Amino acid sequence: MSVLAGVVGFRGYSGQELVSLLERHPHAQPVLMEHRADSEDRPRPLRFRAPQRIPSTPEAVHQAGLDVVFLATPPEVSMELALPLLEAGAKVIDLSGAFRLRTAENYRRWYKEEHTQPGLLSEAVYGLPEFYREAIRGARLISNPGCYPTAASLAIRPLVEAGVVDLDSGIVCDAKSGVSGAGRKPSLKTHFCEVTENLSAYSILDHRHVAEVLQNAGLEESQFSFTAHLLPIHRGILETIYFRAPGIHSSEELLTIYEKCYAHEPFVRLYDAGGIPSISAVAHTNFCDIGVKFDAATGRAVIVTVIDNLVKGAAGQAIQNMNLILGFGETEGLL
Amino acid sequence: MSVLAGVVGFRGYSGQELVSLLERHPHAQPVLMEHRADSEDRPRPLRFRAPQRIPSTPEAVHQAGLDVVFLATPPEVSMELALPLLEAGAKVIDLSGAFRLRTAENYRRWYKEEHTQPGLLSEAVYGLPEFYREAIRGARLISNPGCYPTAASLAIRPLVEAGVVDLDSGIVCDAKSGVSGAGRKPSLKTHFCEVTENLSAYSILDHRHVAEVLQNAGLEESQFSFTAHLLPIHRGILETIYFRAPGIHSSEELLTIYEKCYAHEPFVRLYDAGGIPSISAVAHTNFCDIGVKFDAATGRAVIVTVIDNLVKGAAGQAIQNMNLILGFGETEGLL
Amino acid sequence: MSVLAGVVGFRGYSGQELVSLLERHPHAQPVLMEHRADSEDRPRPLRFRAPQRIPSTPEAVHQAGLDVVFLATPPEVSMELALPLLEAGAKVIDLSGAFRLRTAENYRRWYKEEHTQPGLLSEAVYGLPEFYREAIRGARLISNPGCYPTAASLAIRPLVEAGVVDLDSGIVCDAKSGVSGAGRKPSLKTHFCEVTENLSAYSILDHRHVAEVLQNAGLEESQFSFTAHLLPIHRGILETIYFRAPGIHSSEELLTIYEKCYAHEPFVRLYDAGGIPSISAVAHTNFCDIGVKFDAATGRAVIVTVIDNLVKGAAGQAIQNMNLILGFGETEGLL
Amino acid sequence: MSVLAGVVGFRGYSGQELVSLLERHPHAQPVLMEHRADSEDRPRPLRFRAPQRIPSTPEAVHQAGLDVVFLATPPEVSMELALPLLEAGAKVIDLSGAFRLRTAENYRRWYKEEHTQPGLLSEAVYGLPEFYREAIRGARLISNPGCYPTAASLAIRPLVEAGVVDLDSGIVCDAKSGVSGAGRKPSLKTHFCEVTENLSAYSILDHRHVAEVLQNAGLEESQFSFTAHLLPIHRGILETIYFRAPGIHSSEELLTIYEKCYAHEPFVRLYDAGGIPSISAVAHTNFCDIGVKFDAATGRAVIVTVIDNLVKGAAGQAIQNMNLILGFGETEGLL
């Protein structure tokens, strides 16, 4: 028997990925939830039917008997829809940044606007299962992590917690993402001719996602320098992370810290010392791969971490969260 | 001494290419002509100044002393601006489809709208120098050819004129273009994620450019099947042309027809029999390259022709036309 | 309970795709079969183990108890390995061109070399399930179709059989493929810098795959003109097919012919008249999508057909064949 | 009157770019110098002739009367050819790493092999005109800088010299390059399918080019962390550089340092504070563009610098050096 999972924002890239993952999930099936016509549908082949469609109203959710609703929407739409949907009895998994920061002040600081549902901030559980699995299981409202912070937090937090990073000289995270991270809405920035054969840096030192990494890894803003870049690829993120680790003697020592932390994690993969993952290793998967390079002579370390921004960075992680809150096996539909 | 060449639509891809070619031209310099703010400018480095800017009005043209104005604009804007600019004393080279077809009826048939300046149709000279060089030299209004028709006409017309094509079985022209041919205005069609790792066919059997090829090569619509495809590249067109040539015995025979026609053309290049050009051979150049393959056993021929849609297919050819009407060497600024 | 499926050539793109499909198959698991070290393995993450490896010898096949062996190898290797593997008791599914043509003469004509196992040609069953499903079920040796012929045959054969194509004026098939179709072996032709921002035509009128299409659709060589092109994408094929259909009056009439033929096919999808599929619609799937455009005024038709060359054009179709010969549901592991 | 400029290694990407720049140079023309057949020529159109060809021997150089020879060759070939060509009377501009480091010890340390011409190391002048213009004018042997070090040195050296960088916490340079930087020789690393839709890090903390940056900017190895990445583009480099500048108060202050240094440089371009260049801004040009972002609250700075690796990073800079040693205007043939 299948649960019904609504998807608001199903025409966007994260929404499409969610629908596609749900169509292959053994215990769930997608329901498309219309919310303001945003763009045209793709042509559908004859005989191969699209999933059921309903409005994104509490009544429709109630009537259709949805168990869970995914919000693949901008923050302002998520703030508008979350409470009514929760009250209609659905679990809500929000893929926007609306509920990721713990305080309304912090939201205002990074999103440059007022939070319209501050009352939900304390209830929302940050959906990074590797760190918050137990809280997720009991949650009613999940805030699915941002794509950049997913990779950065998985790479950085274990090392900061282990106390091996020289925080005085700080951590540099140079992040590169495929274009789907910028959404499906057409703009000059995402025009093919502006992106192909190009690379551009953006949100230098002031990307919204920085706040999440600081929160996850317990860092001060002055300790973490982050720049985002737009890669001429569809999907995938690679982050190159630099820091000093004065007490460390080898790549293996850093790997051991990760191994202790992730030994039983189904979606975090490590490599032998010197083995460095690339984006293609994780494309179309829910894995986060981590590689380590350490220069013993000078105490400098580099971590390379990769995810698919639409899977572990968005829809796949959302499904992982759904599996946890609905009591399915955590990897169902994701391997 | 330099002439002043105005460019309306300088933010589009053809317009940018025009400005860039004019900046390197030994006898001309560009003047940017504002016509309705359409999109943001790119950031300009300090100390490296943009060209002069003026409005796209007859008064400004007169006052600035422009010798020629390029219209890198949609047909409706070209129809609006051409006459006032001509009356202000400038030569006009229009890159849109507004003045390419000889009759208002034909325009209505292919562009699905009324021509608002039918009186200019008989005056406009079709700017394909390889066929209409003398008429171009004396023209006041040049209609610069479409990108697809430039390549197709150069490949097809000599063979049709030589009478070697079996027109009963017809000519197939399978055309593929880079995304810049679709313009700089953002749309879902040109979104990076929709184009990369993709190929799509469009305007099957009913592309506007077909009318130009029929006109140039003296063909009936039933004799010419044309499909356009959107390639995941910035610039370049390749057309693969199929027909039967019952009286021909070898690739060399077909090549001889081309050589006779293009022996003195500076921008048409041929290859040894079996030598087939690819898009990269002509990217960023004003060349049209043509390769030939003939199967003597069955009488079937294939022609492959390539151009850069922004150069020989637009801005480069426009400069070639400017050189002709202003009496410069035809290849100035283009080699 | 799982069957064991050996893969020779597991480092190539078709081989990798096979291994990846088998890892997700509910009733099969892959065994890597070494045959001459050809290239390096990719780095594997810790804790995530590669499948079992055995030599590609009959003894190893026997000892490991393989039920089926896939040959993702060049024709000469397939000719060398097929018989010993069959004699060791395995079903063999060959992805090369070795056993696709029915006679050794035809093989010599198109592959320019002698067939070394002509005795197997009559036994090999051509693995295009949409046309030869019953023969496949009982086969011991399957010859998996070429990528281009899979799409072309599915598009052309129903129309030729229905008698609607004007064969005198002939069929043009303009085919475009991603680079993975050229194999993983490095060469200048597949160097990134030679492919990106480029398009090139190759094997004009003399591609080996032509022979398969003629055989499947019952055409003469003079009736079928085929040119292949190398697209700057990883995977996917689009073929644009032109012909005249003098007795047809509408796109719908052509669609009806396809619908009759493919109404119960799980992997062939049709579109409403005018709906034209693009490569991204089938990437990473085993579908073949077909769209139709007909010009009633002149009797000209264009068919656009797309597949993923690594899935329906290679590994996916091979799994589909495995499902048939081993009695699994035909779509198992492919949806 | 033109000088004759020989090019050894004219089939590689830097060599092709050199030939193409020389063909457009007002005072020079290229001569192709054969040195061991390395790969096939591209097809050449009829009537459009390739440049003259001679062997890469001293006799041929003498006989042809070459004024200058460019070595677009691996270091071992450059070490072999430089002395004989100098003795034949030609100026030599070497694009390899053979003569970039000042001592044979340093060469051994970074290139992992013995230098075979240590006697030339003291004579060779490092060809970065912005820093060593006067020495270049009088040189006989120029060592053209590496692509990564060109961008990094232009961005870093002025700031280090001005004393504003906190060297204790160090400089991070995260560098990304197009594939042409890896050369034209086919390999799995440069196979289209391995590069497209991918990004990979390589030479983490131990790239050979690091030694040049240290030398140019007067840094210790422990002060400079460098990682290279392979972008899915043909040409172009972007480097994102992170450091702390405790005494600085604004982006404008950093810009002022650059402006003082580069006010009269024809090929270095700066942007208004916050204006960040991307690769497309410099593709196919000899410019190095630099943008600045400073966070006053925390004292952290980010510099983004871009060049075309084949132009300012190789062939263009080599032409700039040729212009200097032969007394031409420094920008001839480069604007």
Side-chain angles (χ1 to χ4, degrees):
Chain A
M1 211 215 84
S2 272
V3 300
L4 293 179
V7 180
V8 189
F10 57 86
R11 292 185 186 86
Y13 293 123
S14 294
Q16 286 177 5
E17 192 76 16
L18 269 168
V19 172
S20 151
L21 286 169
L22 287 165
E23 283 179 330
R24 284 177 277 156
H25 197 285
H27 310 308
Q29 50 179 292
V31 174
L32 310 184
M33 296 176 69
E34 287 285 357
H35 181 75
R36 294 169 199 154
D38 43 357
S39 66
E40 275 179 278
D41 291 325
R42 291 165 176 274
R44 299 282 305 192
L46 302 170
R47 269 199 307 130
F48 289 77
R49 285 231 295 267
Q52 184 192 355
R53 289 192 187 209
I54 65 171
S56 59
T57 59
E59 300 71 40
V61 165
H62 188 76
Q63 196 178 338
L66 300 195
D67 301 89
V68 61
V69 173
F70 295 94
L71 300 177
T73 45
E76 54 277 15
V77 177
S78 295
M79 288 189 277
E80 173 195 339
L81 293 180
L83 193 57
L85 293 172
L86 286 168
E87 289 173 353
K91 310 275 189 186
V92 171
I93 300 175
D94 176 36
L95 283 78
S96 84
F99 303 105
R100 291 181 192 152
L101 303 184
R102 292 202 195 107
T103 67
E105 289 70 32
N106 213 14
Y107 185 84
R108 187 187 312 119
R109 153 89 171 80
W110 290 94
Y111 287 78
K112 320 284 182 214
E113 60 182 17
E114 287 302 310
H115 204 289
T116 62
Q117 291 289 340
L120 287 174
L121 287 177
S122 58
E123 175 178 2
V125 173
Y126 191 79
L128 193 49
E130 287 76 8
F131 299 148
Y132 309 107
R133 186 168 283 117
E134 287 319 305
I136 293 166
R137 282 194 218 274
R140 198 174 63 136
L141 170 60
I142 300 282
S143 179
N144 212 57
C147 51
Y148 288 128
T150 293
S153 303
L154 290 171
I156 293 172
R157 177 164 148 155
L159 305 178
V160 171
E161 284 196 337
V164 301
V165 177
D166 172 15
L167 294 176
D168 287 341
S169 59
I171 300 172
V172 165
C173 179
D174 191 273
K176 302 95 176 171
S177 172
V179 182
S180 58
R184 190 156 174 257
K185 198 172 159 191
S187 70
L188 197 52
K189 185 187 169 181
T190 59
H191 191 298
F192 183 85
C193 295
E194 305 292 316
V195 175
T196 189
E197 294 292 312
N198 196 9
L199 180 77
S200 54
Y202 66 97
S203 297
I204 303 177
L205 295 179
D206 61 6
H207 197 288
R208 288 172 173 188
H209 282 178
V210 165
E212 282 175 66
V213 182
L214 303 183
Q215 192 171 271
N216 288 327
L219 295 170
E220 301 293 315
E221 198 178 337
S222 66
Q223 295 166 334
F224 183 67
S225 296
F226 179 92
T227 296
H229 299 78
L230 190 68
L231 286 173
I233 67 174
H234 184 135
R235 49 164 78 205
I237 282 177
L238 184 147
E239 297 179 3
T240 314
I241 298 166
Y242 302 78
F243 58 91
R244 286 159 191 267
I248 292 291
H249 304 89
S250 68
S251 299
E252 286 75 9
E253 258 186 87
L254 290 172
L255 272 174
T256 303
I257 295 170
Y258 284 127
E259 275 166 12
K260 226 154 95 184
C261 195
Y262 297 132
H264 303 293
E265 286 301 335
F267 293 120
V268 180
R269 302 189 300 189
L270 305 169
Y271 288 76
D272 272 327
I276 300 297
S278 62
I279 282 178
S280 61
V282 296
H284 296 277
T285 80
N286 198 49
F287 291 115
C288 174
D289 281 14
I290 299 175
V292 169
K293 181 78 179 278
F294 184 73
D295 181 54
T298 59
R300 296 170 302 153
V302 174
I303 309 294
V304 174
T305 179
V306 290
I307 59 168
D308 184 321
N309 60 302
L310 292 178
V311 191
K312 184 64 176 169
Q317 185 142 267
I319 298 288
Q320 191 179 352
N321 283 314
M322 178 192 79
N323 288 340
L324 287 168
I325 58 176
L326 297 185
F328 303 141
E330 188 169 342
T331 63
E332 291 283 7
L334 291 171
L335 286 180
Chain B
M1 210 217 81
S2 271
V3 300
L4 294 179
V7 179
V8 188
F10 57 86
R11 291 185 186 87
Y13 292 123
S14 295
Q16 286 177 4
E17 192 77 18
L18 270 168
V19 172
S20 152
L21 287 169
L22 287 166
E23 282 178 330
R24 285 178 275 155
H25 197 285
H27 310 309
Q29 51 179 289
V31 174
L32 309 185
M33 297 177 68
E34 286 285 357
H35 181 77
R36 296 170 195 150
D38 43 357
S39 66
E40 275 179 279
D41 290 327
R42 292 165 175 274
R44 300 281 303 193
L46 302 170
R47 269 202 305 131
F48 289 77
R49 284 231 294 269
Q52 182 191 358
R53 288 193 189 209
I54 65 170
S56 59
T57 58
E59 299 72 40
V61 164
H62 189 74
Q63 196 177 338
L66 300 196
D67 301 88
V68 62
V69 174
F70 295 95
L71 300 177
T73 46
E76 54 279 13
V77 177
S78 294
M79 289 190 277
E80 173 195 338
L81 293 181
L83 193 56
L85 293 172
L86 286 169
E87 289 173 351
K91 309 276 189 185
V92 171
I93 299 176
D94 177 35
L95 283 77
S96 83
F99 303 105
R100 291 181 193 152
L101 304 185
R102 294 205 191 103
T103 67
E105 290 70 30
N106 212 16
Y107 185 83
R108 188 185 314 119
R109 153 89 169 83
W110 289 94
Y111 286 77
K112 319 287 183 210
E113 58 183 18
E114 285 304 308
H115 204 289
T116 62
Q117 291 288 342
L120 287 175
L121 287 177
S122 58
E123 174 175 1
V125 173
Y126 190 80
L128 192 50
E130 288 75 8
F131 300 147
Y132 309 108
R133 186 169 282 117
E134 287 319 307
I136 293 166
R137 284 195 217 273
R140 196 174 66 135
L141 170 60
I142 299 283
S143 178
N144 212 55
C147 51
Y148 288 128
T150 293
S153 302
L154 290 171
I156 293 172
R157 177 165 146 153
L159 304 179
V160 170
E161 284 196 336
V164 302
V165 177
D166 171 15
L167 294 177
D168 287 340
S169 58
I171 299 174
V172 165
C173 179
D174 192 273
K176 302 94 176 171
S177 172
V179 182
S180 58
R184 191 156 174 258
K185 196 169 162 194
S187 70
L188 197 52
K189 184 186 169 182
T190 59
H191 191 298
F192 183 84
C193 294
E194 306 292 316
V195 175
T196 187
E197 294 292 313
N198 197 10
L199 181 77
S200 53
Y202 66 98
S203 298
I204 303 177
L205 296 179
D206 60 7
H207 197 289
R208 288 170 174 191
H209 282 179
V210 164
E212 282 176 65
V213 182
L214 303 183
Q215 192 172 269
N216 286 328
L219 294 172
E220 302 293 315
E221 198 178 337
S222 66
Q223 294 166 334
F224 183 66
S225 296
F226 179 93
T227 296
H229 300 78
L230 190 68
L231 285 174
I233 67 175
H234 185 134
R235 50 164 78 207
I237 282 178
L238 184 147
E239 296 179 1
T240 314
I241 298 167
Y242 302 79
F243 59 91
R244 286 161 190 267
I248 292 291
H249 304 89
S250 69
S251 299
E252 286 76 8
E253 259 185 88
L254 291 171
L255 272 173
T256 303
I257 295 170
Y258 284 127
E259 275 166 13
K260 226 154 96 182
C261 195
Y262 297 132
H264 303 292
E265 286 301 334
F267 294 119
V268 180
R269 302 189 301 190
L270 305 169
Y271 287 77
D272 273 327
I276 301 296
S278 62
I279 281 177
S280 62
V282 296
H284 296 277
T285 80
N286 199 48
F287 291 116
C288 175
D289 281 14
I290 298 175
V292 169
K293 182 76 179 282
F294 185 72
D295 181 54
T298 59
R300 294 170 303 154
V302 174
I303 308 295
V304 174
T305 178
V306 289
I307 60 170
D308 185 322
N309 59 303
L310 292 177
V311 191
K312 184 62 177 170
Q317 185 143 268
I319 298 289
Q320 191 179 351
N321 283 314
M322 178 193 79
N323 287 340
L324 287 168
I325 58 177
L326 297 184
F328 303 140
E330 187 170 342
T331 63
E332 291 283 7
L334 291 172
L335 285 181
Chain C
M1 209 217 85
S2 271
V3 300
L4 294 178
V7 179
V8 189
F10 57 86
R11 290 185 187 86
Y13 293 122
S14 294
Q16 285 177 6
E17 191 77 15
L18 269 169
V19 171
S20 152
L21 286 169
L22 288 165
E23 282 178 329
R24 283 178 277 154
H25 197 284
H27 309 308
Q29 52 179 289
V31 174
L32 310 184
M33 298 176 67
E34 288 283 359
H35 181 76
R36 294 171 199 152
D38 42 358
S39 67
E40 275 179 280
D41 290 326
R42 290 164 177 275
R44 297 283 302 193
L46 302 170
R47 271 201 303 130
F48 289 77
R49 284 230 294 268
Q52 183 192 356
R53 287 191 191 212
I54 65 170
S56 60
T57 59
E59 299 73 39
V61 165
H62 188 75
Q63 198 177 336
L66 300 194
D67 301 89
V68 62
V69 174
F70 295 94
L71 300 176
T73 45
E76 54 278 13
V77 177
S78 295
M79 289 189 277
E80 174 195 337
L81 293 180
L83 194 56
L85 292 172
L86 286 169
E87 288 173 352
K91 310 276 188 185
V92 172
I93 299 175
D94 177 35
L95 282 78
S96 84
F99 303 106
R100 292 181 193 152
L101 304 184
R102 293 206 191 104
T103 67
E105 290 69 32
N106 212 15
Y107 185 83
R108 188 187 312 120
R109 154 88 170 81
W110 289 94
Y111 286 77
K112 319 287 182 209
E113 59 183 18
E114 286 302 310
H115 204 288
T116 62
Q117 291 289 340
L120 287 175
L121 287 177
S122 57
E123 175 176 2
V125 173
Y126 190 79
L128 193 49
E130 287 77 8
F131 299 148
Y132 309 108
R133 185 168 283 118
E134 287 319 306
I136 293 166
R137 284 195 216 273
R140 198 174 62 139
L141 170 61
I142 299 282
S143 178
N144 212 56
C147 51
Y148 287 127
T150 292
S153 302
L154 289 170
I156 293 171
R157 177 164 146 157
L159 304 179
V160 171
E161 284 196 337
V164 302
V165 178
D166 171 14
L167 294 176
D168 288 341
S169 59
I171 299 172
V172 165
C173 179
D174 192 272
K176 303 92 174 172
S177 173
V179 182
S180 59
R184 193 158 172 255
K185 198 172 161 190
S187 69
L188 196 51
K189 183 187 169 181
T190 59
H191 191 298
F192 183 84
C193 294
E194 306 291 317
V195 175
T196 189
E197 293 292 311
N198 196 9
L199 180 77
S200 53
Y202 66 97
S203 298
I204 302 177
L205 296 180
D206 61 6
H207 196 289
R208 287 172 174 189
H209 282 178
V210 165
E212 280 175 66
V213 182
L214 303 183
Q215 193 171 270
N216 287 327
L219 295 171
E220 302 292 316
E221 198 177 338
S222 66
Q223 295 166 333
F224 183 68
S225 295
F226 179 94
T227 296
H229 300 78
L230 191 68
L231 286 173
I233 67 174
H234 184 134
R235 50 163 79 205
I237 282 177
L238 184 148
E239 296 179 1
T240 314
I241 299 167
Y242 302 79
F243 58 93
R244 288 162 188 265
I248 292 291
H249 304 90
S250 69
S251 299
E252 286 75 8
E253 258 186 89
L254 291 171
L255 272 173
T256 303
I257 295 170
Y258 284 126
E259 275 166 13
K260 224 154 99 184
C261 195
Y262 297 132
H264 303 292
E265 287 300 336
F267 293 119
V268 180
R269 301 190 301 190
L270 304 170
Y271 288 76
D272 272 327
I276 301 295
S278 63
I279 282 177
S280 61
V282 296
H284 296 278
T285 80
N286 199 49
F287 291 115
C288 174
D289 281 13
I290 299 176
V292 169
K293 182 79 177 281
F294 184 73
D295 181 55
T298 58
R300 293 169 303 153
V302 174
I303 308 295
V304 174
T305 178
V306 290
I307 60 170
D308 184 322
N309 60 303
L310 292 178
V311 190
K312 185 61 177 170
Q317 185 143 269
I319 298 288
Q320 192 180 351
N321 282 314
M322 178 192 80
N323 286 341
L324 287 169
I325 58 176
L326 297 185
F328 302 141
E330 188 169 343
T331 63
E332 291 281 7
L334 291 172
L335 285 181
Chain D
M1 206 217 87
S2 271
V3 300
L4 294 179
V7 179
V8 189
F10 57 85
R11 292 184 186 86
Y13 292 123
S14 293
Q16 287 176 4
E17 192 76 15
L18 270 168
V19 171
S20 152
L21 287 169
L22 288 165
E23 282 178 330
R24 282 177 279 154
H25 197 285
H27 310 307
Q29 52 179 288
V31 174
L32 311 184
M33 297 176 67
E34 287 283 357
H35 181 77
R36 293 170 199 150
D38 42 359
S39 67
E40 276 179 278
D41 291 326
R42 290 165 178 274
R44 297 283 303 194
L46 301 170
R47 269 200 306 131
F48 290 77
R49 285 232 293 268
Q52 181 191 359
R53 290 192 187 209
I54 65 171
S56 60
T57 59
E59 300 73 39
V61 165
H62 188 75
Q63 196 178 338
L66 300 194
D67 300 89
V68 60
V69 174
F70 295 94
L71 300 177
T73 46
E76 55 277 14
V77 176
S78 295
M79 289 189 276
E80 175 194 338
L81 294 180
L83 193 56
L85 292 172
L86 287 168
E87 290 174 351
K91 311 274 189 187
V92 172
I93 299 175
D94 177 35
L95 282 78
S96 84
F99 303 105
R100 291 180 193 154
L101 304 184
R102 294 207 190 100
T103 68
E105 289 70 32
N106 213 16
Y107 185 84
R108 188 187 312 119
R109 153 86 170 84
W110 289 95
Y111 286 77
K112 319 288 183 209
E113 58 182 18
E114 287 302 310
H115 204 289
T116 61
Q117 292 288 342
L120 288 174
L121 287 177
S122 58
E123 174 176 0
V125 173
Y126 190 80
L128 193 51
E130 287 76 8
F131 299 147
Y132 309 107
R133 184 169 283 117
E134 287 321 305
I136 292 166
R137 285 196 216 273
R140 197 175 62 138
L141 169 62
I142 299 281
S143 178
N144 211 57
C147 50
Y148 288 128
T150 293
S153 303
L154 290 170
I156 293 171
R157 178 166 147 154
L159 304 179
V160 171
E161 285 195 336
V164 301
V165 178
D166 172 15
L167 293 177
D168 287 340
S169 60
I171 300 172
V172 165
C173 180
D174 191 273
K176 303 91 175 171
S177 172
V179 182
S180 57
R184 191 156 174 257
K185 198 172 160 190
S187 70
L188 197 51
K189 185 187 169 181
T190 58
H191 191 297
F192 182 85
C193 294
E194 305 292 317
V195 175
T196 188
E197 294 292 311
N198 197 10
L199 181 77
S200 54
Y202 67 96
S203 298
I204 304 176
L205 297 179
D206 62 5
H207 196 289
R208 288 170 172 189
H209 282 178
V210 164
E212 280 175 66
V213 182
L214 303 182
Q215 192 172 270
N216 287 327
L219 295 172
E220 301 293 315
E221 197 178 338
S222 66
Q223 295 165 335
F224 184 66
S225 295
F226 179 93
T227 296
H229 300 78
L230 190 68
L231 285 173
I233 67 174
H234 185 134
R235 50 164 79 206
I237 282 178
L238 183 148
E239 295 179 2
T240 314
I241 298 167
Y242 302 78
F243 58 92
R244 286 160 189 268
I248 292 291
H249 304 89
S250 69
S251 300
E252 286 76 8
E253 260 186 86
L254 290 172
L255 272 174
T256 303
I257 296 171
Y258 284 126
E259 275 166 13
K260 225 155 97 182
C261 195
Y262 298 132
H264 303 292
E265 287 300 336
F267 293 119
V268 180
R269 301 190 301 189
L270 304 169
Y271 288 76
D272 272 327
I276 301 296
S278 62
I279 282 179
S280 61
V282 296
H284 296 278
T285 80
N286 199 48
F287 291 115
C288 174
D289 281 15
I290 298 176
V292 169
K293 181 79 179 278
F294 184 72
D295 181 55
T298 59
R300 295 169 302 154
V302 174
I303 308 295
V304 174
T305 179
V306 290
I307 59 168
D308 184 322
N309 60 302
L310 293 178
V311 190
K312 184 62 176 169
Q317 185 144 267
I319 298 289
Q320 192 179 351
N321 283 314
M322 178 193 80
N323 287 340
L324 287 168
I325 59 177
L326 298 185
F328 303 141
E330 187 170 340
T331 63
E332 291 281 8
L334 291 172
L335 285 181

